[in-house]
Amino acid sequence: MNIEIREAHDGDVEELFALYALVVEERGAFPAAPPATRTDFERSWLHDKTIVLVARLDGRLAGSYHLVPNFSGRAAHIANAGYMVHADFRRQGVGRALVEHSIDEAPRHGFDALMFNLVFESNPARYLYEGFGFKAVGRVPEAVEGEDAIVYWRKV
């Protein structure tokens, strides 16, 4: 499998919006309520991000991730990352490639740790994160519609 991961550009935006809307509709990864609007997408995925990257497989958009400071000021060295993988490409190593790439990419932007704020307890990506050494450092009871969420962290 030859996954190309590169910085997103304007030509990717429509496909990214369609993927974001799909992931929001599935209700399993992001706390946004469906249907996703263009404003939701731009605020959540594009605006004020340190970097937005896309993963392409055989020319198709397979997934994306972004990095952003999780906090401002003295804690801005801790990044937050968001990931999304198109349903057609799940369980094929795309998510693994995105997480691995983000761990390598974060220090290039001045980050020394990654933190995920709300990973739904039912999200199967939790096992991927744990396999990369992320530690569960907190739990948010009934974070979204009664489901608990886990907070993950690791040095990069």
Side-chain angles (χ1 to χ4, degrees), residues 139-155:
R139 175 179 291 275
V140 181
E142 301 180 21
V144 178
E145 297 173 343
E147 184 173 1
D148 288 4
I150 312 299
V151 178
Y152 282 99
W153 173 92
R154 76 158 270 178
K155 293 288 270 177

Side-chain angles (χ1 to χ4, degrees), residues 131-143:
F132 273 107
F134 284 87
K135 304 288 184 222
V137 295
R139 175 179 291 275
V140 181
E142 301 180 21

Side-chain angles (χ1 to χ4, degrees), residues 50-51 53 65-69 76-81 83 98-116 134 154-156:
T50 302
I51 191 167
L53 295 107
Y65 81 89
H66 63 242
L67 293 172
V68 62
H77 61 97
I78 302 169
N80 177 269
Y83 307 92
L98 291 173
V99 173
E100 187 170 38
H101 193 276
S102 69
I103 290 168
D104 292 339
E105 187 72 16
R108 289 192 259 282
H109 299 278
F111 300 116
D112 62 11
L114 274 167
M115 186 171 177
F116 308 143
F134 284 87
R154 76 158 270 178
K155 293 288 270 177
V156 294

Side-chain angles (χ1 to χ4, degrees), residues 18-116:
L19 176 55
Y20 179 83
L22 174 76
V23 172
V24 167
E25 189 66 36
E26 293 172 336
R27 305 175 77 94
F30 304 139
T37 67
R38 187 63 177 236
T39 301
D40 293 338
F41 160 69
E42 290 175 359
R43 182 180 42 78
S44 297
W45 207 258
L46 298 178
H47 291 176
D48 301 320
K49 302 304 181 263
T50 302
I51 191 167
V52 178
L53 295 107
V54 295
R56 291 197 169 274
L57 186 58
D58 298 327
R60 290 184 57 204
L61 180 67
S64 178
Y65 81 89
H66 63 242
L67 293 172
V68 62
N70 200 40
F71 305 102
S72 61
R74 295 180 297 150
H77 61 97
I78 302 169
N80 177 269
Y83 307 92
M84 56 184 179
V85 176
H86 193 285
D88 292 348
F89 294 98
R90 292 183 190 150
R91 303 250 185 255
Q92 296 181 37
V94 174
R96 175 173 296 284
L98 291 173
V99 173
E100 187 170 38
H101 193 276
S102 69
I103 290 168
D104 292 339
E105 187 72 16
R108 289 192 259 282
H109 299 278
F111 300 116
D112 62 11
L114 274 167
M115 186 171 177
F116 308 143

